[in-house]
């Protein structure tokens, strides 16, 4: 077994994270939100952020601070009726079965990040470097 290629991969990590804009996700049994007025009185899960609490209050929701680790159970129990993670997080973190609708509002833009070991990147052939740079540019 040849270990050198495995070691090279370990020493040259490439990591690309795409976090899409946040969405308004409604708990099953709640109606979809299309307009801001559709959030009137909705118990909306927010983190401790005063700015997000103010934002959801301004659109008529009832901001309900819930720690992220408690959010899934809060939605299941009806302590909150809506939340605003990225769409990917809804699927990956177990919300897909308890959510009835998702509206892309982009109230909170999230980020995209590409990172790698610079020495490893610089050691790649130029055409591979250009391919990585091109892929990063078009996905951003």
């Amino acid at each position: 077994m040849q270990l050198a290629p495995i070691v090279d991969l370990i020493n040259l990590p490439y990591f690309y994270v795409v976090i899409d804009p946040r969405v308004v996700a409604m708990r099953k049994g709640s109606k979809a939100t299309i307009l801001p007025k559709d959030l009137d009185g909705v118990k909306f899960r927010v983190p401790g952020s005063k700015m997000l609490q103010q934002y959801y209050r301004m659109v008529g929701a009832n901001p309900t601070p819930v720690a992220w680790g408690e959010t899934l159970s809060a939605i299941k129990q009806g302590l909150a009726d809506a939340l605003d993670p990225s769409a990917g997080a809804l699927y990956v973190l177990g919300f897909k079965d308890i959510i009835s609708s998702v509206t892309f509002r982009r109230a909170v833009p999230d980020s995209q990040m590409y990172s790698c070991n610079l020495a490893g990147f610089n050691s790649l052939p130029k055409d591979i470097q250009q391919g990585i740079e091109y892929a990063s540019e078009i996905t951003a």
Side-chain angles (χ1 to χ4, degrees):
M1 180 173 154
Q2 218 178 8
L3 292 179
I6 295 171
V7 171
D8 286 345
L9 289 175
I10 291 170
N11 290 330
L12 303 175
Y14 293 91
F15 188 60
Y16 190 69
V17 177
V18 177
I19 307 291
D20 43 358
R22 302 229 191 146
V23 300
V24 171
M26 299 299 292
R27 183 171 67 87
K28 280 193 176 174
S30 302
K31 69 176 194 162
T33 61
I34 305 301
L35 302 171
K37 69 178 184 171
D38 296 335
L39 288 173
D40 284 349
V42 170
K43 293 180 287 186
F44 206 101
R45 179 268 170 193
V46 292
S49 165
K50 299 287 184 198
M51 187 169 21
L52 277 177
Q53 290 175 30
Q54 180 178 350
Y55 170 79
Y56 284 109
R57 210 174 284 112
M58 289 171 65
V59 296
N62 179 14
T64 306
V66 176
W68 178 248
E70 303 297 320
T71 302
L72 185 63
S73 63
I75 297 291
K76 284 181 179 178
Q77 296 171 18
L79 300 174
D81 297 318
L83 69 158
D84 70 344
S86 68
L90 290 171
Y91 182 79
V92 172
L93 299 172
F95 290 91
K96 65 182 173 120
D97 297 326
I98 62 169
I99 297 299
S100 63
S101 68
V102 175
T103 304
F104 285 80
R105 291 259 175 102
R106 297 180 188 198
V108 179
D110 275 346
S111 63
Q112 298 182 20
M113 178 179 68
Y114 164 76
S115 63
C116 71
N117 177 297
L118 184 58
F121 178 81
N122 289 336
S123 73
L124 294 172
K126 281 289 180 204
D127 61 328
I128 301 293
Q129 290 178 11
Q130 289 171 344
I132 291 171
E133 289 171 345
Y134 177 71
S136 297
E137 185 178 322
I138 63 170
T139 57

